[in-house]
Amino acid sequence: MRGFFYIWHLSNNELVMNIVLFESSQRNCLLPLVYTRPVALLRTGILTIRDKWEKRIDGQYSFKTEPYLASKYPQIESEDNFLLSSHVCPTDELTRQVLSLNFEEGIKYRGIPIALRTCHVDVFRDNTDCTKGISWTDYNSSLDLIQYPWDLTEVNGRQIELDFELLTKGRQSAKISATNNLIKEENIFVEEGAKIEFATINASEGFVYIGRDTEIMEGSLLRGPFALCDNSVVNMGSKIYGATTVGPYSKVGGEVMQSIITGFSNKGHDGFLGNSILGEWCNLGAGTNVSNLKNTYDKVKAWSYSENKFIQTGLQFCGLIMGDHSKAGINTMFNTGTVVGVGANIFGAGFPRQFVPSFSIGGAQGYKENRLSGVISTASQVMSRRNRKFTELDQQILANIYETSAIYRKF
C-alpha cells in the first residue's frame, strides 16, 4: 500500500503520526527467524519490537520490509513519516527524543540511523541517498540492538524487566491462589483468567509476568525473569529458569533456560532447551534435548546466512535457532549452535548437522527435500487447530522461501 496521504484521527480530527518500522542491511543476519516476518515482529522480553514501540508512541504503524513480505505486511507512506528502526528495543528516553524530532531530523546510535522524521521512506536500504540535508544527533545512552538471532536471548532478561514495568505500571495483579509457593510476590504480575495451582514461583532474581487465560499446572518450578504470554500453558512438573519467554498460544514442559518461544509453538515434554529461540508453529517431540554448551567450553559458532558460513557468536552458551513451521521428532538431539530453517522435519538417532536448510527432511543419517506441498498441508492443519487460517499470502511467502533457499539444499 503506497502513495502519499495524511492519516487523521477521526475522534478529534488531529493528524496521527505515520510510523514506518524499517530494516537495515543487517536483516539477513537474522535469518531464518525473519524469513516469514518483518524484523519488528521478533519477540524479546514480553513483547515484540513493534509492540514495544506501539506501547510508547501512538500512531499508524506499517513495515518497510522485503518485497515478498510486503503483501502481508504493507508499507504506508505519508508526507510526514517517522521512520523507526526495527532492530532497536526502545526505551522511554529514546521515545522522548523521537517525539521531539523536527522535520528532516534524525537520531543515530553508534553511527547507525535508528530514527528519522522525513517525507521519504526509501532512505536506509535503497540505492537512492535521501539523507542529504538531514540533521543528525547521537543517542548516547545504552540500547539493546538486535543484529543476530542470539541477541534476542542475550537481552531477554533486561527486556522482560522493561516490558513488565511498561505493562503493569499503575495496575493491580489478579489474585494468586494460596496453594502456590510465591517468593518475592511483589515482583509477580498475573493477568485475569490465569490458572495457577500448586506451583513455585521465585521472583527474587527477576520479574515474572503471567498473561491472560494462561495455565501453570501443578508441580511447576518457575524462576524469574520469566514471561508467559496470553493463552499459553506450562505443563506439570516443568522447570523453567530465567530469562525465558513463552510466547502466546504455546505449550512448554521439561527444563527450559534463557530461551524464547516466539508463539504458537510447543515444547511440551521432558527434555532440555537452553539459550534457544523457536519461531512460530514449531514442535519439539518428547525427549528432545538441546546442547547449549560445548564440552570444551569454547565459544560457539553458528551458521550465518549473510556470510554463508559458520561464524563466531562470541557466546559460551548458545543452543538452537529454529525457523517457523519446523518440527523435531521424539528424542531428537541438537548440538550447540544449531540453526534450522523454515519447514524442516528432523528425526532419527544421532546429532543432525548444525545447519539444517529450509524444507529439509531427515536427520543425522542424511536429508532429502521436504516438499513444499507437504509443508503447506501440515501448516494448514496445525494452524486450524489454533483457529488460525493459513492464507493465500502465507502460501505465497512459503513458496518464495522454498525457491530462495534451494541453494542450501545440496543433498
Side-chain angles (χ1 to χ4, degrees), residues 96-113:
R96 286 190 290 271
Q97 289 196 27
V98 168
L99 292 175
S100 70
L101 287 175
N102 294 313
F103 203 62
E104 305 302 340
E105 290 183 346
I107 302 169
K108 288 185 177 182
Y109 178 65
R110 298 178 182 174
I112 302 171

Side-chain angles (χ1 to χ4, degrees), residues 61 262 348:
Y61 281 77
T262 304

Side-chain angles (χ1 to χ4, degrees), residues 97 106-115 124 136-140 143:
Q97 289 196 27
I107 302 169
K108 288 185 177 182
Y109 178 65
R110 298 178 182 174
I112 302 171
I114 60 171
F124 300 122
W136 296 100
T137 58
D138 293 325
Y139 184 84
N140 295 316
L143 287 173

Side-chain angles (χ1 to χ4, degrees), residues 45-228:
I46 304 170
L47 304 169
T48 66
I49 295 170
R50 179 187 65 178
D51 293 336
K52 297 174 195 295
W53 281 113
E54 286 184 331
K55 292 291 183 181
R56 290 176 168 88
I57 302 178
D58 289 332
Q60 171 71 52
Y61 281 77
S62 65
F63 305 91
K64 179 171 175 55
T65 186
E66 293 297 299
Y68 75 94
L69 294 173
S71 294
K72 185 173 181 178
Y73 304 103
Q75 172 184 303
I76 300 174
E77 296 182 33
S78 172
E79 293 181 356
D80 187 357
N81 306 287
F82 284 79
L83 274 61
L84 305 180
S85 174
S86 297
H87 298 263
V88 167
C89 297
T91 62
D92 292 343
E93 181 181 347
L94 176 59
T95 300
R96 286 190 290 271
Q97 289 196 27
V98 168
L99 292 175
S100 70
L101 287 175
N102 294 313
F103 203 62
E104 305 302 340
E105 290 183 346
I107 302 169
K108 288 185 177 182
Y109 178 65
R110 298 178 182 174
I112 302 171
I114 60 171
L116 175 62
R117 184 177 182 182
T118 179
C119 64
H120 304 288
V121 294
D122 297 330
V123 177
F124 300 122
R125 296 189 63 221
D126 292 7
N127 294 325
T128 304
D129 183 6
C130 299
T131 61
K132 293 179 180 178
I134 300 295
S135 176
W136 296 100
T137 58
D138 293 325
Y139 184 84
N140 295 316
S141 299
S142 178
L143 287 173
D144 288 335
L145 194 62
I146 307 303
Q147 297 179 298
Y148 295 93
W150 44 87
D151 291 336
L152 297 167
T153 53
E154 287 299 293
V155 306
N156 200 45
R158 183 163 54 250
Q159 286 301 311
I160 288 175
E161 178 180 352
L162 291 174
D163 290 348
F164 183 96
E165 293 171 346
L166 187 66
L167 291 170
T168 66
K169 185 177 181 179
R171 301 176 60 217
Q172 186 71 36
S173 171
K175 187 176 180 180
I176 306 175
S177 168
T179 66
N180 296 289
N181 178 28
L182 306 178
I183 304 172
K184 200 101 178 207
E185 185 174 355
E186 63 269 26
N187 287 345
I188 302 170
F189 191 93
V190 178
E191 299 282 4
E192 295 294 336
K195 296 188 294 183
I196 315 170
E197 299 290 349
F198 294 98
T200 294
I201 304 177
N202 183 353
S204 61
E205 299 297 322
F207 293 110
V208 174
Y209 176 85
I210 310 300
R212 293 182 182 277
D213 300 318
T214 55
E215 182 175 9
I216 299 174
M217 295 184 181
E218 55 272 24
S220 295
L221 307 174
L222 312 178
R223 177 180 284 264
F226 172 65
L228 183 68

